[in-house]
Amino acid sequence: MKKRHLLAPGPTPVLPDALLAMARPILYHRGPEYEALLGRVRDGLKFLFQTKHEVLLFTSSGTGGMEGTVVNTLSPGDRALVIRSGKFGERWGEICEAYGLQPQYIDVEWGRAVDPDTVAAALAADPAIKVVFATHTESSTGVLHPIEAIARIVGKTPAILVVDAIMSLGVADLPMDAWGVDVVVGGSQKGLMIPPGLAFCAVSDKAWAMVQQSRLPKFYFNFLAERKSLEKNQNTFTPAVSLVMALHESLAAVRAEGLAALFARHDRLARATRAAVRALGLELFADPPTPALTAVAAPPGIEAGAIVKTMRTAHGITISGGQAQLKGKIFRLAHLGYADESDVVLCLAALERTLTDLGYPIKLGEGVRAVQEVLSQAG
Ligand SMILES: *Cc1c(COP(=O)(O)O)cnc(C)c1O
């Protein structure tokens, strides 16, 4: 018998109360019970996104929220700026290009964060830029980008700032209104502790003004129609009712824990993981790192895929390897959502065994000891 543990950066383990909610009989989505539930979900989403603005909700994976944002803010021929530092930054560009736009790119070395000054320079050089597309946690590299500083720069221009926060929603602080971010895109299967299938788009007044003018083609992802429906506690099309029921539970858990405690928990788990990686003599890949996951460079002579495979087959733990140009070079340990101290201890213990299995010289217990040292500190 082998117990399985999911420690990959999405989907993440599901909150037990959310699993139970999905087992309940389905609700009619035009009936009073669902409308009351959606009303509470709307409030919970505003709390989570730290905004007074409406948070739109779509039945799709997170990428649907990204595509919806592109087609609802821009028009043919519009100028856009895409910060590209990994798979998900690239995705913003791919969506823009799919709709015939030719965005300008800021290319950042994978594993590093964008320098906000380069965003300021790009906006100064091309004042016609209408939208800046950024990523909070770049999941493919494990980097956390300086969104607050970028928001301060974009806020002084007519452009809006759109942030893919799919990996970091409910994990790393992103106070939308306080920082002045215009669109925040989220997804259900990362920090929110529920299965894949829901995307969220929170939209500021400055962004709504652009939505009113936008002329790119759209049908399913129509922000104006969706806002109108939500104001009546409805969705335009049949929503994934069971997922919304699960979301209701996860938002209640977020509120009960409180945002400050939620972010502090993730920060602790991330610090413990990084300390252990260093204690084992391995190299961290991302600078600065996100609290959602830890990207680790595979040690010399070992293919990252072998680590991922041995973790799964010999020790029952699912982690992720690298994507695209990082395939074989890094592996990624996730510690977000329904994750606590025991998960990090377990993960590092299995990593030590895996490295030993693969013949890499480490002292068993050194990573776990570093984890314990961080976790036993107050705060
Ligand atoms: C997971 C993720 C996405 C969206 O992926 P989907 O598979 O469409 O849900 C987008 N951006 C980031 C940063 C992610 O981590």
Side-chain angles (χ1 to χ4, degrees), residues 4 32 87 89 106 187 243 278 288 293 307 328 352 368:
R4 304 292 310 268
K87 277 289 288 177
I106 292 180
L243 285 176
R278 281 191 294 258
L293 66 109
I307 295 174
E352 291 180 356
V368 172

Side-chain angles (χ1 to χ4, degrees), residues 61-63 66 88 91 135 137 139 164 166-167 189-190:
S61 86
T63 304
M66 297 172 72
F88 294 100
R91 186 165 301 175
T135 313
T137 287
S139 314
D164 168 0
I166 294 171
M167 180 56 79
Q189 79 273 28
K190 312 276 173 86

